[in-house]
Amino acid sequence: MIYADQKQGGKSEKDFGKLLYSAEHELQGKPDYIYKKRVGRGVVPVELKSGLIGDDPVPHRGDLLQLGAYFLILEDVYKVRPKFGRLVYQDYMFVVKNSKSLRNEVQKTTKEMREMLTYGVGKANPSFPTCRYCICNGTVCTHSGTEIIGGKANESSCGEE
């Protein structure tokens, strides 16, 4: 282990818990762990998730994008492109390949997010796969199709902000 997002007992490395930053991609983050491969210079990011994956055959989209962002950050910070990473849920672990399509999706999504911040407006893409794990589903979002029972709904929706 060469990095952990929190200082580990007995570890004196100053970089443990440090926020990692990629100037090239304008991304920052703290993977839960980074391991150095025993042979070669490779690094492997590991992201721990508190939830269950259940019967889903693939990781949640947001978790994939998070790991994909770590791939880009680590390439800039450690000057080596990770070949894969691990997403560890309570009931299953996925080995995720650092593919060109994942990298492109991360870059496209971050571009859209920056545009939303710049212009203050985004477009909603409501669908069951994208909405079912969203924190706004069934609460303030007018696009999820789930009504709020009791209380007062927020006028703005997370799909538009």
Side-chain angles (χ1 to χ4, degrees):
M1 180 172 49
I2 60 171
Y3 175 92
D5 72 343
Q6 296 181 15
K7 192 168 185 140
Q8 304 294 300
K11 296 283 185 181
S12 61
E13 288 85 353
K14 64 180 179 177
D15 289 341
F16 277 58
K18 180 179 170 185
L19 185 66
L20 302 178
Y21 176 71
S22 167
E24 180 181 346
H25 300 287
E26 295 184 53
L27 292 171
Q28 62 186 11
K30 293 170 63 173
D32 288 321
Y33 298 102
I34 302 171
Y35 289 92
K36 184 180 183 305
K37 294 177 89 177
R38 290 181 190 241
V39 178
R41 296 182 40 221
V43 293
V44 179
V46 176
E47 187 62 22
L48 305 177
K49 297 298 170 187
S50 60
L52 303 172
I53 197 66
D55 293 332
D56 288 342
V58 295
H60 304 302
R61 182 177 183 271
D63 298 340
L64 275 176
L65 291 174
Q66 181 181 15
L67 188 61
Y70 292 150
F71 289 151
L72 297 173
I73 293 167
L74 296 184
E75 186 173 349
D76 201 14
V77 170
Y78 291 102
K79 308 300 183 214
V80 61
R81 181 177 174 179
K83 292 187 179 184
F84 66 93
R86 299 180 192 274
L87 276 173
V88 182
Y89 293 88
Q90 285 190 5
D91 58 344
Y92 194 78
M93 180 186 72
F94 292 96
V95 176
V96 179
K97 185 178 175 187
N98 185 1
S99 66
K100 185 173 179 87
S101 63
L102 178 58
R103 295 166 66 84
N104 288 341
E105 188 174 356
V106 169
Q107 291 170 330
K108 177 184 168 218
T109 302
T110 55
K111 180 182 177 204
E112 289 172 359
M113 292 169 71
R114 287 186 182 107
E115 287 174 356
M116 288 171 68
L117 287 172
T118 301
Y119 302 114
V121 178
K123 59 182 178 191
N125 183 19
S127 69
F128 177 72
T130 57
C131 293
R132 69 180 166 169
Y133 296 111
C134 179
I135 194 169
C136 298
N137 187 13
T139 58
V140 298
C141 183
T142 59
H143 299 287
S144 69
T146 306
E147 293 184 30
I148 298 173
I149 300 173
K152 184 177 178 182
N154 187 336
E155 290 181 27
S156 65
S157 76
C158 61
E160 296 175 343
E161 294 184 326

